[in-house]
Amino acid sequence: MIDLNDLEKKINSELTTKIKKSEIKHNQLYLYIDHEDLIDVSLFIKSNENTKFRQLIDITVVDYPENNKRFKIVYLFLSHEFNQRIILSYLINEKEVIPSLTSIYPSANWMEREVFDMYGVKFKDHPDLRRILTDYGFEGYPLRKDFPLTGHTEVRYSEDQKKVINEPVKLEQNYRNFDYESPWEGTQYIKEQSFKDKSSEQSIKDNDKKN
């Protein structure tokens, strides 16, 4: 098992300006780069004899909608030979197109499609960049923080058309009662119902005694 400090020094010495920042946390090496250097850095950590990070574990995204560089793209790499992990990340804005890793790590194919489907991040030179989790014609990107919790459309069975249809979400709130009380103390309508139940029980007991 290679020492993490030696690994960090090796990567920084070989890649020099391509590594903006590196640090060791939680027994793992964190690398911060620019997205233009993703291919060069990935090729090095996979092919170099002192690194051998030959498995891409996952690709994910963190959404910061208040920032100019909205998305933080995160890659998790594993070296089976050295039993080490690298977390590589960089920031991009909403409109940027980033390089695909499918030519280096074939497993990136579905991972990048999932990132595209959930966040709308586009990958250059991806062989089949289309949605993978949501349905055809789905509107929006569900894991963005500004995506409405109800979504934009709903699916239901139409008795009139005798088939399943998609239509804009309609939120019926006429019959909803928002009392904002603590669930631990019990909401008002529950208290009222409990009082009625107790009163009814008492009335039954009183009638029994009279009879």
Side-chain angles (χ1 to χ4, degrees):
M1 180 174 177
I2 189 172
D3 181 74
L4 272 179
N5 291 292
D6 294 338
L7 178 62
E8 182 182 21
K9 291 176 183 176
K10 175 66 177 179
I11 292 175
N12 276 289
S13 64
E14 293 287 342
L15 297 174
T16 59
T17 58
K18 296 185 185 299
I19 305 298
K20 295 174 61 178
K21 178 185 175 184
S22 65
E23 60 181 339
I24 296 173
K25 296 188 301 184
H26 315 300
N27 292 320
Q28 297 178 116
L29 178 59
Y30 288 73
L31 301 178
Y32 305 89
I33 64 171
D34 288 322
H35 76 271
E36 295 91 347
D37 298 318
L38 175 64
I39 298 298
D40 291 339
V41 173
S42 299
L43 275 172
F44 174 82
I45 64 173
K46 181 179 183 180
S47 58
N48 188 274
E49 286 298 314
N50 296 308
T51 54
K52 296 185 179 180
F53 286 88
R54 294 173 178 165
Q55 183 174 359
L56 175 64
I57 298 294
D58 198 10
I59 305 173
T60 188
V61 177
V62 185
D63 184 14
Y64 300 99
E66 70 280 1
N67 295 348
N68 181 38
K69 297 250 182 205
R70 175 173 183 168
F71 297 121
K72 181 180 181 181
I73 317 297
V74 183
Y75 300 79
L76 284 70
F77 298 97
L78 172 66
S79 171
H80 291 280
E81 286 87 345
F82 299 122
N83 191 27
Q84 295 288 8
R85 295 174 186 265
I86 282 180
I87 292 88
L88 184 147
S89 63
Y90 54 84
L91 298 171
I92 61 168
N93 61 47
E94 191 173 346
K95 302 294 183 180
E96 285 186 89
V97 179
I98 59 179
S100 171
L101 282 186
T102 51
S103 61
I104 305 172
Y105 296 94
S107 63
N109 191 319
W110 282 19
M111 298 178 193
E112 291 176 351
R113 285 180 60 188
E114 183 177 346
V115 167
F116 167 69
D117 195 1
M118 296 291 103
Y119 293 94
V121 175
K122 295 182 179 179
F123 294 85
K124 182 181 178 181
D125 299 324
H126 190 285
D128 185 25
L129 191 61
R130 56 192 170 96
R131 290 186 182 272
I132 190 171
L133 297 176
T134 57
D135 202 358
Y136 298 104
F138 187 88
E139 181 183 350
Y141 303 102
L143 290 186
R144 288 190 179 189
K145 290 183 179 177
D146 54 6
F147 186 81
L149 294 177
T150 56
H152 298 290
T153 60
E154 62 183 356
V155 180
R156 70 175 181 86
Y157 180 78
S158 171
E159 287 290 348
D160 297 330
Q161 301 181 41
K162 302 300 180 183
K163 66 177 183 179
V164 175
I165 62 171
N166 286 285
E167 62 183 9
V169 172
K170 297 176 183 178
L171 298 179
E172 298 290 344
Q173 301 200 29
N174 299 335
Y175 304 103
R176 298 182 66 182
N177 178 26
F178 298 95
D179 50 32
Y180 303 107
E181 292 191 16
S182 167
W184 302 111
E185 298 175 0
T187 52
Q188 187 62 36
Y189 67 90
I190 293 178
K191 293 177 181 177
E192 292 173 356
Q193 185 62 45
S194 297
F195 178 77
K196 290 178 182 178
D197 292 343
K198 289 180 180 178
S199 299
S200 177
E201 290 177 4
Q202 187 62 45
S203 297
I204 293 173
K205 289 180 180 178
D206 293 342
N207 288 332
D208 289 341
K209 288 180 179 178
K210 291 178 181 179
N211 294 331

